[in-house]
Amino acid sequence: MRAKQHLTSLLQARVAAMGLPWPAKAVIEPPKEKQFGDLAANVALLLAKEAGKSPRDLAEDLVAAVRADGAVAAASIAGPGFLNVVFTPAFWQESVKEAEQRGETFGSSRVGNGVTVQVEFVSANPTGPLHIGHGRGAAVGDSLARLLRFAGYTVHTEYYINDAGRQMRLLGLSVWLRVRELAGREIVWPEDWYKGEYIIDIAKEMLAKDPGLAALPDEEGCDRCFEYAMRSILDGIKKDLEDFRVSHEVWFSERGLVASGAVEKAFERLRGAGHTYEHNGALWFRAMALGDDKDRVLRKSDGSLTYFASDIAYHGNKYDRGFDRLVDIWGADHHGYVPRMRAAVAALGKKPEQLDVILVQLVNLLRDGQQIAMSTRAGQFETLADVVAEVGADAARFMFLSRKSDSHLDFDLELVKQRSMENPVYYVQYAHARICAVLRKADERGIPMTPQTDGTLLSLLTENAELDLMRQIDRFEDVIESAALNLSPHHISYYLMDLAGDLHSYYAAHQVLGAGDDSLARARLALLRSVSAVIASGLSLLGVTAPESM
RNA sequence: GCGCCAGUAGCUCAGUCGGAUAGAGCAUCUGCCUUCUAAGCAGACGGUCGGGGGUUCGAUUCCUCCCUGGCGCGCCA
């Protein structure tokens, strides 16, 4: 971050002195190829037309200004007008000092500017255990929340419990029928019902507590079964999420929302602004006028509410609670619902940028390349809990967070269990463990570890591999900012793989304790400490542990 | 039929608010453990960025038309 800020301010000063506006699309970042230098800027290219000069001439001017700076070791022009800059080792060494001084806050950013954002994720119907697809949404949502917090947002996390509606009635009925079946009654199975083993378990549990249960009239039996089953399944979901290191601050009940009259209030609000009309005995929302394909029903002609109706009320409620910005994380199969929700947000008087919807693609669960079928209704699935128990939360989370969320993901249980580069989580964790081993050894040998490293000591860090590591350390905050702005936690994963790669190269090429020089050893230890701190910090944003030994 | 997402090395995937010679891991091949963890390192091999047009000084990135795969198009949730 220091490098980027430093070069930006040098260039801005020069551009301003030339009387030119700073281009909005200026990109100042590490070049694709290391050979081009430490940082590359495309400012000359962008300003050429405005300045009435060739990119080359403009670049000549800028490069001269940049070269004069003490932190710049070299600056050159390449390609169609790129400005390439190499900083002095002393400049990079400052990164280690900064990392030491800032400690756990190193890499954190203030781009969020304190904006209050709510992240709502998982929100699976409590009709059965979480499966692997929910796990992906859970990992993405949880990490995004951690990331946004680290980037200076005020973050609230929430799980929306869809405990009203037809699916839930079906759940109650399914359990009730199992109860009756277990009690030896003749059962006529309806068309749609939940067939999973867990339904039988719940029915058995209920019967054990109340053997007379099956004698209740249907309506009462269904109700009791529904309440019990939902509570039981929800408890299971909470437990599974906890084991996956995912937390929600608020569990928000749809039923409670409806009971509070919030839906009717939302209707009033929409009606007042002219967004609704009656047609064929139903209440409609003018979604088409706000960009959706068609208008949508809010209250059906039979008087009951649609899911969409309570969802509008729910989002209205979120804004009323003071969240400036909402992030919803949904399964990609709900993408058709996005325009409708956006229309609703507009009707509530909010700006489009106050709602972000992250669509998480479905997960293909494989075992040795063979697909494992998943369907909650049919009761065949690999639960999140089973997967976490088999491969571990670290490997599962890293796998989910190493892909952008809108691409399909093959999750092969055998591959994720392998401890190879097929599984980069170990590569990153191993880098951390290796550093810890060196630090332990240093401690055993009584090498003094100065807590605040001084410049003289750090000036010994001049190897290319050391400069690479320091450049990576400096880049951490840039990565955090761009990951936060793009709502893309997977950028962190890729950064960590890069950083771990540089560490492993360095480790193989240079001895730290055997450096032959006590000062050099101490300088290198300081560097390693910073690297391990950054790795641990990045991993914690992914919800992955940083083991001290492996 | 309409819409959304995807198509990048043999495989799994990054990169894409237009920028340099398109990257990584796996697989294959060649080397490296008497020294801090070989779950590692160094190197080689590997590409019409699905295809055709267009815009631009410049396109994997933007527009358009096709092809392929997935998913949506309910007074379901």
Side-chain angles (χ1 to χ4, degrees), chain A residues 252-286:
Chain A
F252 194 97
S253 160
E254 178 186 6
R255 206 158 40 147
L257 180 81
V258 173
S260 76
V263 180
E264 290 304 325
K265 256 186 267 169
F267 285 178
E268 280 313 312
R269 200 160 153 186
L270 295 181
R271 189 176 298 137
H275 292 299
T276 65
Y277 62 93
E278 300 269 349
H279 178 66
N280 285 348
L283 180 66
W284 292 73
F285 171 58
R286 295 185 197 279

mmCIF file of all heavy atoms in Angstrom, chain A residues 252-286:
data_model
loop_
_atom_site.group_PDB
_atom_site.id
_atom_site.type_symbol
_atom_site.label_atom_id
_atom_site.label_comp_id
_atom_site.label_asym_id
_atom_site.label_seq_id
_atom_site.Cartn_x
_atom_site.Cartn_y
_atom_site.Cartn_z
ATOM 1 N N PHE A 252 -33.262 -14.190 12.192
ATOM 2 C CA PHE A 252 -34.469 -13.386 12.007
ATOM 3 C C PHE A 252 -35.609 -14.247 11.476
ATOM 4 O O PHE A 252 -35.486 -14.867 10.429
ATOM 5 C CB PHE A 252 -34.157 -12.247 11.033
ATOM 6 C CG PHE A 252 -35.197 -11.170 11.003
ATOM 7 C CD1 PHE A 252 -35.044 -10.020 11.751
ATOM 8 C CD2 PHE A 252 -36.338 -11.319 10.215
ATOM 9 C CE1 PHE A 252 -36.003 -9.023 11.723
ATOM 10 C CE2 PHE A 252 -37.307 -10.326 10.187
ATOM 11 C CZ PHE A 252 -37.134 -9.173 10.940
ATOM 12 N N SER A 253 -36.721 -14.262 12.211
ATOM 13 C CA SER A 253 -37.835 -15.139 11.858
ATOM 14 C C SER A 253 -38.836 -14.476 10.916
ATOM 15 O O SER A 253 -39.350 -13.400 11.193
ATOM 16 C CB SER A 253 -38.545 -15.576 13.136
ATOM 17 O OG SER A 253 -39.851 -16.018 12.847
ATOM 18 N N GLU A 254 -39.113 -15.151 9.807
ATOM 19 C CA GLU A 254 -40.115 -14.656 8.866
ATOM 20 C C GLU A 254 -41.487 -14.629 9.543
ATOM 21 O O GLU A 254 -42.255 -13.697 9.379
ATOM 22 C CB GLU A 254 -40.169 -15.557 7.625
ATOM 23 C CG GLU A 254 -41.233 -15.124 6.626
ATOM 24 C CD GLU A 254 -41.411 -16.096 5.456
ATOM 25 O OE1 GLU A 254 -40.785 -17.166 5.469
ATOM 26 O OE2 GLU A 254 -42.185 -15.778 4.547
ATOM 27 N N ARG A 255 -41.767 -15.661 10.330
ATOM 28 C CA ARG A 255 -43.061 -15.747 11.003
ATOM 29 C C ARG A 255 -43.268 -14.548 11.926
ATOM 30 O O ARG A 255 -44.328 -13.955 11.972
ATOM 31 C CB ARG A 255 -43.123 -17.044 11.816
ATOM 32 C CG ARG A 255 -44.512 -17.541 12.025
ATOM 33 C CD ARG A 255 -44.545 -19.029 12.328
ATOM 34 N NE ARG A 255 -43.480 -19.492 13.199
ATOM 35 C CZ ARG A 255 -43.621 -20.489 14.082
ATOM 36 N NH1 ARG A 255 -44.785 -21.074 14.242
ATOM 37 N NH2 ARG A 255 -42.597 -20.902 14.792
ATOM 38 N N GLY A 256 -42.193 -14.218 12.653
ATOM 39 C CA GLY A 256 -42.277 -13.081 13.560
ATOM 40 C C GLY A 256 -42.526 -11.786 12.804
ATOM 41 O O GLY A 256 -43.290 -10.919 13.234
ATOM 42 N N LEU A 257 -41.906 -11.684 11.651
ATOM 43 C CA LEU A 257 -42.053 -10.486 10.825
ATOM 44 C C LEU A 257 -43.502 -10.353 10.368
ATOM 45 O O LEU A 257 -44.102 -9.283 10.475
ATOM 46 C CB LEU A 257 -41.132 -10.589 9.602
ATOM 47 C CG LEU A 257 -41.167 -9.407 8.636
ATOM 48 C CD1 LEU A 257 -40.290 -8.284 9.156
ATOM 49 C CD2 LEU A 257 -40.710 -9.826 7.252
ATOM 50 N N VAL A 258 -44.050 -11.451 9.880
ATOM 51 C CA VAL A 258 -45.423 -11.430 9.385
ATOM 52 C C VAL A 258 -46.380 -11.108 10.536
ATOM 53 O O VAL A 258 -47.289 -10.278 10.399
ATOM 54 C CB VAL A 258 -45.791 -12.786 8.734
ATOM 55 C CG1 VAL A 258 -47.273 -12.828 8.384
ATOM 56 C CG2 VAL A 258 -44.945 -13.012 7.487
ATOM 57 N N ALA A 259 -46.129 -11.736 11.675
ATOM 58 C CA ALA A 259 -47.011 -11.530 12.832
ATOM 59 C C ALA A 259 -46.982 -10.082 13.312
ATOM 60 O O ALA A 259 -47.954 -9.585 13.872
ATOM 61 C CB ALA A 259 -46.598 -12.474 13.967
ATOM 62 N N SER A 260 -45.883 -9.397 13.087
ATOM 63 C CA SER A 260 -45.768 -8.019 13.563
ATOM 64 C C SER A 260 -46.554 -7.045 12.704
ATOM 65 O O SER A 260 -46.627 -5.857 13.014
ATOM 66 C CB SER A 260 -44.293 -7.603 13.565
ATOM 67 O OG SER A 260 -43.873 -7.333 12.227
ATOM 68 N N GLY A 261 -47.094 -7.549 11.608
ATOM 69 C CA GLY A 261 -47.863 -6.668 10.720
ATOM 70 C C GLY A 261 -46.994 -5.894 9.745
ATOM 71 O O GLY A 261 -47.465 -4.986 9.059
ATOM 72 N N ALA A 262 -45.718 -6.275 9.680
ATOM 73 C CA ALA A 262 -44.774 -5.545 8.834
ATOM 74 C C ALA A 262 -45.149 -5.647 7.359
ATOM 75 O O ALA A 262 -44.899 -4.716 6.589
ATOM 76 C CB ALA A 262 -43.364 -6.078 9.044
ATOM 77 N N VAL A 263 -45.751 -6.784 6.981
ATOM 78 C CA VAL A 263 -46.085 -6.954 5.574
ATOM 79 C C VAL A 263 -47.178 -5.970 5.162
ATOM 80 O O VAL A 263 -47.060 -5.300 4.128
ATOM 81 C CB VAL A 263 -46.524 -8.404 5.287
ATOM 82 C CG1 VAL A 263 -46.878 -8.565 3.815
ATOM 83 C CG2 VAL A 263 -45.403 -9.375 5.671
ATOM 84 N N GLU A 264 -48.196 -5.866 5.997
ATOM 85 C CA GLU A 264 -49.270 -4.916 5.680
ATOM 86 C C GLU A 264 -48.731 -3.493 5.637
ATOM 87 O O GLU A 264 -49.118 -2.690 4.801
ATOM 88 C CB GLU A 264 -50.400 -5.025 6.713
ATOM 89 C CG GLU A 264 -51.199 -6.329 6.616
ATOM 90 C CD GLU A 264 -51.796 -6.564 5.216
ATOM 91 O OE1 GLU A 264 -52.181 -5.570 4.558
ATOM 92 O OE2 GLU A 264 -51.858 -7.726 4.780
ATOM 93 N N LYS A 265 -47.811 -3.204 6.539
ATOM 94 C CA LYS A 265 -47.227 -1.861 6.555
ATOM 95 C C LYS A 265 -46.446 -1.590 5.275
ATOM 96 O O LYS A 265 -46.503 -0.510 4.700
ATOM 97 C CB LYS A 265 -46.295 -1.702 7.774
ATOM 98 C CG LYS A 265 -46.923 -0.863 8.884
ATOM 99 C CD LYS A 265 -45.943 -0.605 10.004
ATOM 100 C CE LYS A 265 -46.059 -1.640 11.106
ATOM 101 N NZ LYS A 265 -44.979 -1.592 12.088
ATOM 102 N N ALA A 266 -45.742 -2.616 4.824
ATOM 103 C CA ALA A 266 -44.980 -2.471 3.583
ATOM 104 C C ALA A 266 -45.944 -2.245 2.417
ATOM 105 O O ALA A 266 -45.676 -1.426 1.528
ATOM 106 C CB ALA A 266 -44.127 -3.707 3.342
ATOM 107 N N PHE A 267 -47.062 -2.966 2.436
ATOM 108 C CA PHE A 267 -48.066 -2.780 1.381
ATOM 109 C C PHE A 267 -48.539 -1.329 1.356
ATOM 110 O O PHE A 267 -48.668 -0.727 0.290
ATOM 111 C CB PHE A 267 -49.273 -3.690 1.623
ATOM 112 C CG PHE A 267 -49.030 -5.146 1.285
ATOM 113 C CD1 PHE A 267 -50.027 -6.094 1.495
ATOM 114 C CD2 PHE A 267 -47.814 -5.556 0.753
ATOM 115 C CE1 PHE A 267 -49.817 -7.427 1.185
ATOM 116 C CE2 PHE A 267 -47.597 -6.889 0.457
ATOM 117 C CZ PHE A 267 -48.596 -7.829 0.674
ATOM 118 N N GLU A 268 -48.797 -0.781 2.532
ATOM 119 C CA GLU A 268 -49.251 0.606 2.624
ATOM 120 C C GLU A 268 -48.250 1.540 1.980
ATOM 121 O O GLU A 268 -48.596 2.447 1.226
ATOM 122 C CB GLU A 268 -49.426 1.000 4.108
ATOM 123 C CG GLU A 268 -50.723 0.524 4.732
ATOM 124 C CD GLU A 268 -51.922 0.809 3.833
ATOM 125 O OE1 GLU A 268 -52.036 1.956 3.347
ATOM 126 O OE2 GLU A 268 -52.716 -0.118 3.591
ATOM 127 N N ARG A 269 -47.020 1.275 2.306
ATOM 128 C CA ARG A 269 -45.937 2.119 1.801
ATOM 129 C C ARG A 269 -45.890 2.066 0.266
ATOM 130 O O ARG A 269 -45.786 3.090 -0.400
ATOM 131 C CB ARG A 269 -44.636 1.567 2.375
ATOM 132 C CG ARG A 269 -43.503 2.542 2.371
ATOM 133 C CD ARG A 269 -42.488 2.045 3.386
ATOM 134 N NE ARG A 269 -41.146 2.494 3.046
ATOM 135 C CZ ARG A 269 -40.064 2.101 3.713
ATOM 136 N NH1 ARG A 269 -40.185 1.246 4.728
ATOM 137 N NH2 ARG A 269 -38.881 2.548 3.381
ATOM 138 N N LEU A 270 -45.995 0.859 -0.271
ATOM 139 C CA LEU A 270 -45.941 0.708 -1.726
ATOM 140 C C LEU A 270 -47.187 1.321 -2.368
ATOM 141 O O LEU A 270 -47.094 1.988 -3.399
ATOM 142 C CB LEU A 270 -45.850 -0.779 -2.096
ATOM 143 C CG LEU A 270 -44.584 -1.511 -1.652
ATOM 144 C CD1 LEU A 270 -44.626 -2.963 -2.094
ATOM 145 C CD2 LEU A 270 -43.328 -0.838 -2.202
ATOM 146 N N ARG A 271 -48.315 1.080 -1.732
ATOM 147 C CA ARG A 271 -49.571 1.593 -2.284
ATOM 148 C C ARG A 271 -49.524 3.116 -2.312
ATOM 149 O O ARG A 271 -49.892 3.744 -3.308
ATOM 150 C CB ARG A 271 -50.752 1.114 -1.431
ATOM 151 C CG ARG A 271 -52.114 1.418 -2.055
ATOM 152 C CD ARG A 271 -53.244 0.833 -1.213
ATOM 153 N NE ARG A 271 -53.165 -0.611 -1.111
ATOM 154 C CZ ARG A 271 -53.369 -1.308 0.008
ATOM 155 N NH1 ARG A 271 -53.644 -0.688 1.148
ATOM 156 N NH2 ARG A 271 -53.291 -2.626 0.012
ATOM 157 N N GLY A 272 -49.032 3.701 -1.225
ATOM 158 C CA GLY A 272 -48.951 5.154 -1.128
ATOM 159 C C GLY A 272 -48.117 5.748 -2.248
ATOM 160 O O GLY A 272 -48.380 6.852 -2.724
ATOM 161 N N ALA A 273 -47.117 5.013 -2.694
ATOM 162 C CA ALA A 273 -46.238 5.521 -3.750
ATOM 163 C C ALA A 273 -46.708 5.059 -5.124
ATOM 164 O O ALA A 273 -46.013 5.246 -6.120
ATOM 165 C CB ALA A 273 -44.807 5.053 -3.496
ATOM 166 N N GLY A 274 -47.880 4.430 -5.169
ATOM 167 C CA GLY A 274 -48.449 4.029 -6.452
ATOM 168 C C GLY A 274 -47.817 2.810 -7.093
ATOM 169 O O GLY A 274 -47.878 2.633 -8.303
ATOM 170 N N HIS A 275 -47.204 1.967 -6.286
ATOM 171 C CA HIS A 275 -46.519 0.802 -6.850
ATOM 172 C C HIS A 275 -47.378 -0.461 -6.895
ATOM 173 O O HIS A 275 -46.886 -1.510 -7.266
ATOM 174 C CB HIS A 275 -45.251 0.501 -6.049
ATOM 175 C CG HIS A 275 -44.187 1.541 -6.200
ATOM 176 N ND1 HIS A 275 -43.598 1.846 -7.409
ATOM 177 C CD2 HIS A 275 -43.628 2.392 -5.305
ATOM 178 C CE1 HIS A 275 -42.711 2.807 -7.238
ATOM 179 N NE2 HIS A 275 -42.714 3.173 -5.974
ATOM 180 N N THR A 276 -48.642 -0.367 -6.451
ATOM 181 C CA THR A 276 -49.475 -1.571 -6.434
ATOM 182 C C THR A 276 -50.805 -1.338 -7.135
ATOM 183 O O THR A 276 -51.204 -0.198 -7.376
ATOM 184 C CB THR A 276 -49.777 -2.015 -4.989
ATOM 185 O OG1 THR A 276 -50.575 -1.007 -4.353
ATOM 186 C CG2 THR A 276 -48.497 -2.220 -4.191
ATOM 187 N N TYR A 277 -51.453 -2.436 -7.471
ATOM 188 C CA TYR A 277 -52.814 -2.366 -8.018
ATOM 189 C C TYR A 277 -53.505 -3.704 -7.783
ATOM 190 O O TYR A 277 -52.847 -4.715 -7.513
ATOM 191 C CB TYR A 277 -52.799 -2.027 -9.513
ATOM 192 C CG TYR A 277 -52.095 -3.045 -10.388
ATOM 193 C CD1 TYR A 277 -52.812 -4.078 -11.003
ATOM 194 C CD2 TYR A 277 -50.716 -2.966 -10.625
ATOM 195 C CE1 TYR A 277 -52.162 -5.001 -11.822
ATOM 196 C CE2 TYR A 277 -50.074 -3.880 -11.436
ATOM 197 C CZ TYR A 277 -50.796 -4.904 -12.042
ATOM 198 O OH TYR A 277 -50.149 -5.803 -12.820
ATOM 199 N N GLU A 278 -54.840 -3.681 -7.845
ATOM 200 C CA GLU A 278 -55.620 -4.902 -7.657
ATOM 201 C C GLU A 278 -55.987 -5.446 -9.031
ATOM 202 O O GLU A 278 -56.303 -4.689 -9.950
ATOM 203 C CB GLU A 278 -56.918 -4.578 -6.896
ATOM 204 C CG GLU A 278 -56.708 -3.982 -5.516
ATOM 205 C CD GLU A 278 -56.640 -5.041 -4.427
ATOM 206 O OE1 GLU A 278 -56.968 -6.210 -4.703
ATOM 207 O OE2 GLU A 278 -56.246 -4.672 -3.290
ATOM 208 N N HIS A 279 -55.921 -6.754 -9.156
ATOM 209 C CA HIS A 279 -56.304 -7.361 -10.429
ATOM 210 C C HIS A 279 -56.708 -8.803 -10.170
ATOM 211 O O HIS A 279 -55.968 -9.538 -9.503
ATOM 212 C CB HIS A 279 -55.125 -7.297 -11.415
ATOM 213 C CG HIS A 279 -55.421 -7.950 -12.738
ATOM 214 N ND1 HIS A 279 -56.372 -7.447 -13.611
ATOM 215 C CD2 HIS A 279 -54.919 -9.061 -13.333
ATOM 216 C CE1 HIS A 279 -56.420 -8.220 -14.691
ATOM 217 N NE2 HIS A 279 -55.557 -9.213 -14.541
ATOM 218 N N ASN A 280 -57.869 -9.191 -10.676
ATOM 219 C CA ASN A 280 -58.371 -10.558 -10.482
ATOM 220 C C ASN A 280 -58.366 -10.982 -9.016
ATOM 221 O O ASN A 280 -58.031 -12.114 -8.695
ATOM 222 C CB ASN A 280 -57.531 -11.560 -11.278
ATOM 223 C CG ASN A 280 -57.852 -11.495 -12.771
ATOM 224 O OD1 ASN A 280 -58.844 -10.868 -13.172
ATOM 225 N ND2 ASN A 280 -57.027 -12.123 -13.570
ATOM 226 N N GLY A 281 -58.681 -10.048 -8.163
ATOM 227 C CA GLY A 281 -58.780 -10.405 -6.750
ATOM 228 C C GLY A 281 -57.457 -10.523 -6.035
ATOM 229 O O GLY A 281 -57.397 -10.904 -4.874
ATOM 230 N N ALA A 282 -56.370 -10.212 -6.739
ATOM 231 C CA ALA A 282 -55.048 -10.290 -6.108
ATOM 232 C C ALA A 282 -54.430 -8.891 -6.053
ATOM 233 O O ALA A 282 -54.813 -8.011 -6.813
ATOM 234 C CB ALA A 282 -54.137 -11.230 -6.891
ATOM 235 N N LEU A 283 -53.451 -8.725 -5.148
ATOM 236 C CA LEU A 283 -52.729 -7.455 -5.055
ATOM 237 C C LEU A 283 -51.401 -7.616 -5.795
ATOM 238 O O LEU A 283 -50.640 -8.552 -5.526
ATOM 239 C CB LEU A 283 -52.472 -7.102 -3.584
ATOM 240 C CG LEU A 283 -51.721 -5.785 -3.353
ATOM 241 C CD1 LEU A 283 -52.559 -4.583 -3.787
ATOM 242 C CD2 LEU A 283 -51.318 -5.653 -1.883
ATOM 243 N N TRP A 284 -51.163 -6.716 -6.724
ATOM 244 C CA TRP A 284 -49.967 -6.813 -7.562
ATOM 245 C C TRP A 284 -48.986 -5.686 -7.293
ATOM 246 O O TRP A 284 -49.363 -4.573 -6.929
ATOM 247 C CB TRP A 284 -50.364 -6.759 -9.043
ATOM 248 C CG TRP A 284 -51.130 -7.948 -9.511
ATOM 249 C CD1 TRP A 284 -52.428 -8.260 -9.221
ATOM 250 C CD2 TRP A 284 -50.644 -8.987 -10.364
ATOM 251 N NE1 TRP A 284 -52.786 -9.427 -9.837
ATOM 252 C CE2 TRP A 284 -51.705 -9.902 -10.555
ATOM 253 C CE3 TRP A 284 -49.416 -9.237 -11.004
ATOM 254 C CZ2 TRP A 284 -51.582 -11.044 -11.330
ATOM 255 C CZ3 TRP A 284 -49.290 -10.371 -11.796
ATOM 256 C CH2 TRP A 284 -50.360 -11.271 -11.947
ATOM 257 N N PHE A 285 -47.723 -5.984 -7.542
ATOM 258 C CA PHE A 285 -46.639 -4.997 -7.450
ATOM 259 C C PHE A 285 -46.195 -4.641 -8.865
ATOM 260 O O PHE A 285 -45.955 -5.532 -9.680
ATOM 261 C CB PHE A 285 -45.483 -5.608 -6.652
ATOM 262 C CG PHE A 285 -44.224 -4.776 -6.662
ATOM 263 C CD1 PHE A 285 -44.232 -3.470 -6.201
ATOM 264 C CD2 PHE A 285 -43.019 -5.320 -7.117
ATOM 265 C CE1 PHE A 285 -43.066 -2.712 -6.204
ATOM 266 C CE2 PHE A 285 -41.845 -4.568 -7.116
ATOM 267 C CZ PHE A 285 -41.877 -3.259 -6.662
ATOM 268 N N ARG A 286 -46.109 -3.338 -9.148
ATOM 269 C CA ARG A 286 -45.706 -2.899 -10.488
ATOM 270 C C ARG A 286 -44.199 -3.051 -10.675
ATOM 271 O O ARG A 286 -43.475 -2.064 -10.738
ATOM 272 C CB ARG A 286 -46.069 -1.429 -10.702
ATOM 273 C CG ARG A 286 -47.545 -1.136 -10.708
ATOM 274 C CD ARG A 286 -47.786 0.330 -11.051
ATOM 275 N NE ARG A 286 -49.128 0.733 -10.686
ATOM 276 C CZ ARG A 286 -50.203 0.484 -11.440
ATOM 277 N NH1 ARG A 286 -50.062 -0.130 -12.597
ATOM 278 N NH2 ARG A 286 -51.395 0.863 -11.038
#
